[in-house]
Amino acid sequence: MRKERGTNVDFIKELQSFKTIVEEGTFTKAAAKLNYAQSTVTNHIKKLETELEVALFLEGKSNVLTLEGELLKQEVPGLIAQWEQVKEQLHNASSTIDSSIRMGIVQPYDISILPELLHMFAQQYPKVKFEILVGPTMELAKAVKENRIDVALCSLPHEGNFVYEELFQEELCCITSIHNPLTINKPADFEGCHFYRFNDDSLAHKKVESYLASCVPSIHWEYVNNISTIPYLIEQTGYCSLVPRSIVDQTHAGIKILANPLANTRMSIGLLSKKSLIHSPSITKEFVFELKKRLL
């Protein structure tokens, strides 16, 4: 019957003793290096052998490993490293009492990505405070510039001195109501249409809308603050709009994607900051790492 063992800390000490014996060649040298009595090192090995139910050293030869000892020798560095990583995570969790994560994010990623990520992170680091700003690229860029947030997931603003890491490119889709019989083959087919324009400062969005406005001066532009509401407005009004594909994918509104006669209708989505995130606090870097894992 297997004997009940001590704590995980005891087990790590036993592994450390085993590892040091292998490195130093004898129990005596290992004890001296670890600043233990030799009897302590001997007891560590006895407990380890009892727990594993194998002999780690040949009988009468304390410097010769058995086959099982050789196998453990290969695994010990990884086991100890894993324990050190756990200790570091626990230390981080307990030493971030006054830490905060200040981040901005564009729609719809505040709904599709953020809730699960915040829940996971809050469980791992319960003392961290979150300051989340949801808004268009223009608003988030201003908040970064004014040091109100440290990083934003958004598009590339058309102006400003920022550090920007592109993560992916997203298609801009031209949408209208499923009840609108409108068909598009060329920009001129938008003649007289009403377009909802989202108050966005992204470089791609501005270029596409400016091009469309120059090609079809008769377009009627309507301004909406919340991009996620645009598909539902279109369902009722039959108007048109250019929105990111992610908005189309998450809506339940009765809309359809029109054929897009416009060139270069992709927008960049990435991380915007005032300075390189390399210099950010470790807690912010870890949050950004988890965010990127869910996006890429």
Side-chain angles (χ1 to χ4, degrees):
M1 187 177 190
R2 178 169 293 189
K3 194 175 179 182
E4 288 297 321
R5 64 164 353 276
T7 65
N8 286 337
V9 175
D10 292 333
F11 185 56
I12 294 300
K13 287 180 178 178
E14 293 158 14
L15 291 177
Q16 286 281 16
S17 289
F18 174 80
K19 179 173 177 286
T20 308
I21 292 167
V22 171
E23 291 172 346
E24 298 298 316
T26 68
F27 280 55
T28 303
K29 290 180 180 179
K33 184 170 183 178
L34 294 170
N35 200 25
Y36 289 155
Q38 186 171 333
S39 59
T40 301
V41 173
T42 301
N43 285 334
H44 283 171
I45 299 305
K46 286 181 179 178
K47 289 180 182 178
L48 198 54
E49 289 179 328
T50 299
E51 170 64 21
L52 298 176
E53 299 182 344
V54 297
L56 299 173
F57 295 90
L58 291 178
E59 190 173 353
K61 297 182 178 180
S62 61
N63 61 343
V64 181
L65 294 173
T66 61
L67 175 61
E68 293 82 0
E70 289 288 351
L71 291 174
L72 182 61
K73 174 184 172 182
Q74 297 174 26
E75 299 297 329
V76 161
L79 291 171
I80 294 175
Q82 187 176 12
W83 174 249
E84 292 298 326
Q85 184 179 4
V86 169
K87 285 203 302 182
E88 183 179 357
Q89 288 177 343
L90 292 174
H91 174 73
N92 288 340
S94 63
S95 63
T96 51
I97 297 176
D98 298 321
S99 293
S100 63
I101 294 174
R102 307 186 309 160
M103 181 181 179
I105 192 166
V106 293
Q107 296 174 316
Y109 301 108
D110 60 319
I111 295 174
S112 61
I113 297 294
L114 209 52
E116 186 271 337
L117 176 57
L118 288 177
H119 176 70
M120 182 277 292
F121 221 74
Q123 285 188 319
Q124 187 172 358
Y125 300 104
K127 297 176 182 178
V128 172
K129 299 176 182 177
F130 295 94
E131 298 177 32
I132 306 298
L133 175 63
V134 180
T137 293
M138 180 171 60
E139 182 181 344
L140 299 181
K142 183 180 179 182
V144 169
K145 185 177 180 180
E146 295 174 352
N147 293 319
R148 288 186 283 120
I149 57 176
D150 299 313
V151 61
L153 178 71
C154 59
S155 189
L156 180 64
H158 81 283
E159 61 181 23
N161 186 23
F162 298 101
V163 175
Y164 183 75
E165 178 190 356
E166 181 178 288
L167 300 181
F168 57 91
Q169 292 209 344
E170 186 169 7
E171 177 188 7
L172 283 173
C173 298
C174 186
I175 61 172
T176 191
S177 167
I178 55 174
H179 304 296
N180 189 338
L182 178 69
T183 57
I184 301 296
N185 296 305
K186 56 187 183 300
D189 293 333
F190 287 117
E191 185 75 31
C193 287
H194 288 258
F195 256 80
Y196 286 119
R197 172 181 280 178
F198 176 55
N199 188 23
D200 188 33
D201 192 44
S202 68
L203 185 62
H205 225 147
K206 277 194 171 295
K207 280 186 176 180
V208 172
E209 288 186 345
S210 295
Y211 175 75
L212 187 58
S214 66
C215 291
V216 193
S218 63
I219 286 180
H220 304 282
W221 295 99
E222 313 282 349
Y223 289 89
V224 178
N225 285 329
N226 191 323
I227 193 171
S228 293
T229 65
I230 288 178
Y232 298 97
L233 292 172
I234 285 175
E235 181 181 29
Q236 298 299 318
T237 63
Y239 289 2
C240 300
S241 186
L242 282 166
V243 298
R245 182 69 192 227
S246 57
I247 294 292
V248 177
D249 291 341
Q250 65 91 36
T251 189
H252 299 290
I255 60 168
K256 63 182 178 180
I257 298 176
L258 296 169
N260 195 340
L262 307 173
N264 300 320
T265 54
R266 300 188 72 83
M267 62 186 296
S268 172
I269 298 292
L271 295 170
L272 186 77
S273 55
K274 201 170 183 179
K275 59 184 179 180
S276 174
L277 293 175
I278 295 175
H279 307 296
S280 298
S282 59
I283 198 75
T284 300
K285 287 189 285 188
E286 185 172 349
F287 186 82
V288 168
F289 174 76
E290 292 294 334
L291 175 69
K292 289 166 72 172
K293 278 197 333 187
R294 287 159 173 76
L295 288 168
L296 301 178

